[in-house]
Amino acid sequence: MNAPANRTPENDEAIEAMAASWLVQRDEGFTPAQAAEFARWRDANPKHAAAIAMLEETCGILGRMPLLREEPDLRREMEALKQPHSSAAASRAASTSPTTATKIVRFPTLLKVAGALAACLLVVLGGWWLRPVDEEFRNTYTTAAGGYLRVVLPDESLIELNADTEVRVHFSATLRRITLAGGEAHFIVAKNPTRPFHVAAGTVDVRAVGTAFNVKLAPAAIEVLVTEGKVQLGQSSAPANFPRSDTTAAPATAVAMLVAGQCAIVSTGRAAAAAPRIATLDPAAVRDALAWQTPRLVFVDTPLAEVVQQFNRRNRLQLEIGDAELGHRVVGGSFRADHVETFVRLLEDSRDVTVERPAPDRIILRKVAAPP
């Protein structure tokens, strides 16, 4: 598939269609030029980045819906979506009417779902049931600032990517190897003792059989948190991006065995030779460390009335709109679904919304009256 034409659509549905095309292309594999072109398109307009983040969040939701994988009509629709699209076709998607552009990604089985949902299904599940487990598989997954992505791998392992994260996947017949090039990711590993699962981040190598763990690659340290089972922690003399064959794990020396609830911090830079610091975290600390997995709500010129409905469906603290006119105000941005108070403070900071708190679990939003 050629990269979608680098043209700024004039309407939100065409932006959504273009974002879906980019995600399909990313799943098939970017060339360096395509990756640069994608980054330019994403950063050219805040709506572009918001659309990408919204679709990545949708992918995460769909990753939790395994029954969809067995829907025959959906399989056929996804295969139709995989048919190559030329740059000219992508350009037409950006310039035609909303109805025409949306037809690129809307299919009968998904009548009530957002147009790009089918593309997300392809990104998360595409080819999932078509590719033999032992066949070689390569791909790179990335998220933008504020983004989130949940990926189902060919062996049924799962990866959740936090914002600003890049993971490179290479499966061979004898090894499952992931390189965390930047950011943070959580892994739920499908058991297969004959096919080791390695995650490399900097000079750290994590080996798992059937377990769940989180890896964060920060400037000064690499953090590994085990949430289920146990993993073997190793260290190598060369960083994960050092040139080597992807078909073998990085030469690493085992330094510790971590069990659920344990966190290891491996210093980088001048302190790289120091032994990892290992601590046992209580359940509350583990939840705090994984709080980024909480679903995000992404809005692009969305009426405040609809935004309030989405927050209210997910929280005990309920929002009310005290003035009908205020409900038509449009909102944009990406918010954690459980951060109602943060969203309310942003509205207050705009200086045209005032807040009333008649009860601990109730907030009323009102439009600030214009001065006489």
Side-chain angles (χ1 to χ4, degrees), residues 96 158 167 171 217 231 245 254 262:
T96 52
L158 304 178
V167 295
F171 282 9
L217 182 56
V231 303
S245 170
Q262 287 190 317

Side-chain angles (χ1 to χ4, degrees), residues 302-322:
T302 306
L304 181 59
E306 181 180 334
V307 173
V308 165
Q309 289 178 0
Q310 294 202 37
F311 272 112
N312 286 348
R313 283 198 295 268
R314 296 168 172 84
N315 294 278
R316 180 181 296 273
L317 178 58
Q318 296 290 285
L319 303 179
E320 298 178 20
I321 297 178

